[in-house]
């Protein structure tokens, strides 16, 4: 059930390097599973397992085309994850910039309060 | 990596392969930085950065006490983190655990230090993980490295499809 997947699950799915490779390949356009197996050099069952994980979290979609199953990238969960993890440093910078604003206010409150705190 | 310039620069380093150290200076005395860091209403204003709204902050600031932060991310999903306080030295130092509720088995031990000098405060956060794999797999995912590049590349695709 892709609908019920949480971003934490998608995040975990993407944390696995082989699954990222699959997503990279699908970023170039939809591909049948055989193509993925050929390029990745992994055993088909393993590729299928990775694809199942990616499907479960809604990162890839599958359709039947004649005799083969064709996989394609689903962009939206990636965008959500990307927004969330787009840089640990950037997250901290964003947090610290906001703390700056809070601190300016706290300083003003103190300056305006001549009694100080006992 | 595009860098975002900000009014202050957060410096991120890796002192050991299971650690991340974040350093930043603030133009305020340590007691005010402490206040911003430990007061739930104030934490709500900064903890999510630009990535969403903090919906809940619970802080029981005593050794053995727990904290829990929940944010509703811009993508519409909820992320929650929680942990326990192990050491508290007012205006100077907090040692606490931190776990992402999506991955409850992997927690870090975070040490906050505040060092005041001439009215300014240097803040450091040292996050220590059980091992490098945990650090890289869970928290460093958003940093420079394979995942970041993959996601950058994939996002370009995502944008082109949108």
């Amino acid at each position: 059930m892709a609908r019920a997947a949480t971003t934490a699950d998608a995040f975990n799915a993407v944390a696995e390097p082989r699954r990222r490779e699959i997503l990279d390949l699908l970023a170039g356009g939809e591909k049948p599973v055989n193509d993925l197996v050929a390029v990745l050099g992994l055993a088909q069952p393993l590729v299928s397992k990775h694809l199942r994980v990616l499907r479960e979290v809604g990162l890839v979609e599958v359709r039947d085309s004649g005799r083969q199953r064709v996989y394609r990238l689903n962009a939206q969960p990636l965008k959500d994850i990307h927004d969330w993890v787009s840089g640990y440093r950037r997250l901290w910078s964003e947090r610290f910039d906001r703390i700056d604003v809070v601190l300016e206010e706290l300083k003003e409150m103190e300056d305006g309060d001549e009694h100080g705190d006992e | 990596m595009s860098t975002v310039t900000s009014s202050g620069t957060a410096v991120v380093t890796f002192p050991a392969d299971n650690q991340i150290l974040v350093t930043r200076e603030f133009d305020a005395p340590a007691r005010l930085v402490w206040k911003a860091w430990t007061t739930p209403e104030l934490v709500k204003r900064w903890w999510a950065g630009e990535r969403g709204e903090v919906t809940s902050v619970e802080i029981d600031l005593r050794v053995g006490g727990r904290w829990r932060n929940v944010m509703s991310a811009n993508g519409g999903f909820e992320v929650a983190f929680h942990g326990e306080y192990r050491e508290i030295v007012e205006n100077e130092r907090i040692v606490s655990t931190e776990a992402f509720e999506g991955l409850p088995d992997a927690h870090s031990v975070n040490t906050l230090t505040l060092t005041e000098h001439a009215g300014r405060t240097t803040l450091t956060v040292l996050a220590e993980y059980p091992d490098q794999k945990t650090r890289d797999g869970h928290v460093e995912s958003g940093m420079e490295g394979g995942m970041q590049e993959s996601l950058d590349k994939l996002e370009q695709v995502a944008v082109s499809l949108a």
Side-chain angles (χ1 to χ4, degrees):
Chain A
M1 284 286 293
R3 284 278 150 256
T6 70
T7 295
D9 298 332
F11 185 83
N12 277 336
V14 176
E16 210 289 323
R18 289 308 214 165
R19 290 199 279 268
R20 290 208 300 279
E21 262 184 85
I22 291 172
L23 294 172
D24 280 343
L25 289 170
L26 294 177
E30 59 175 22
K31 287 187 175 53
V33 68
N34 296 345
D35 289 16
L36 294 170
V37 170
V39 177
L40 290 164
L42 295 174
Q44 164 130 16
L46 192 53
V47 174
S48 296
K49 195 176 133 200
H50 283 317
L51 285 165
R52 193 162 55 245
V53 172
L54 292 170
R55 274 181 69 192
E56 278 167 3
V57 300
L59 283 163
V60 304
E61 288 163 357
V62 65
R63 65 180 179 86
D64 289 321
S65 168
R67 315 197 76 177
Q68 40 183 13
R69 316 202 76 194
V70 178
Y71 287 85
R72 70 167 173 269
L73 180 67
N74 180 28
Q76 191 53 50
L78 271 176
K79 179 132 181 45
D80 293 347
I81 299 169
H82 190 277
D83 289 347
W84 167 241
V85 297
S86 67
Y88 192 73
R89 176 180 294 125
R90 228 175 308 167
L91 170 61
W92 279 105
S93 295
E94 289 167 9
R95 286 176 168 172
F96 291 153
D97 290 350
R98 286 174 164 239
I99 290 176
D100 282 337
V101 176
V102 170
L103 290 171
E104 284 310 309
E105 283 178 29
L106 292 177
K107 284 195 288 189
E108 275 173 33
M109 279 164 63
E110 282 204 340
D111 290 346
D113 177 14
E114 292 305 333
H115 308 293
D117 38 6
E118 300 299 308
Chain B
M1 283 293 294
S2 59
T3 51
V4 179
T5 51
S6 58
S7 59
T9 316
V11 178
V12 179
T13 56
F14 309 96
D17 62 16
N18 68 324
Q19 295 180 337
I20 303 170
L21 178 66
V22 183
T23 307
R24 167 71 137 73
E25 193 178 73
F26 292 95
D27 183 21
R31 63 191 154 73
L32 293 186
V33 180
W34 178 269
K35 197 169 180 177
W37 197 271
T38 58
T39 308
E41 296 71 47
L42 299 177
V43 173
K44 271 190 185 179
R45 291 177 49 188
W46 61 261
W47 187 73
E50 308 296 323
R51 291 143 196 252
E53 290 299 311
V54 185
T55 52
S56 167
V57 175
E58 294 164 53
I59 295 176
D60 181 10
L61 194 62
R62 56 200 171 91
V63 173
R66 298 187 62 73
W67 65 272
R68 183 171 189 262
N69 293 351
V70 184
M71 70 172 277
S72 171
N74 295 332
F77 53 92
E78 281 214 328
V79 245
F81 290 80
H82 67 247
E84 189 175 285
Y85 295 106
R86 290 186 175 179
E87 208 183 306
I88 297 166
V89 183
E90 193 174 1
N91 299 339
E92 282 180 27
R93 179 180 158 90
I94 297 175
V95 180
S96 58
T97 60
E98 174 177 313
F100 171 47
E101 292 182 4
L103 303 160
D105 296 341
H107 76 260
S108 62
V109 177
N110 298 351
T111 303
L112 165 82
T113 66
L114 302 178
T115 312
E116 186 177 328
H117 181 73
R120 295 175 67 84
T121 302
T122 301
L123 174 153
T124 66
V125 179
L126 177 70
E128 291 182 87
Y129 298 85
D131 49 48
Q132 181 174 3
K133 193 168 165 292
T134 310
R135 182 197 72 174
D136 294 353
H138 300 323
V139 180
E140 197 202 352
S141 339
M143 288 189 266
E144 293 85 338
M147 182 154 174
Q148 185 59 48
E149 285 162 30
S150 296
L151 288 170
D152 282 343
K153 216 170 9 175
L154 288 163
E155 196 194 21
Q156 290 167 5
V157 175
V159 169
S160 72
L161 295 176

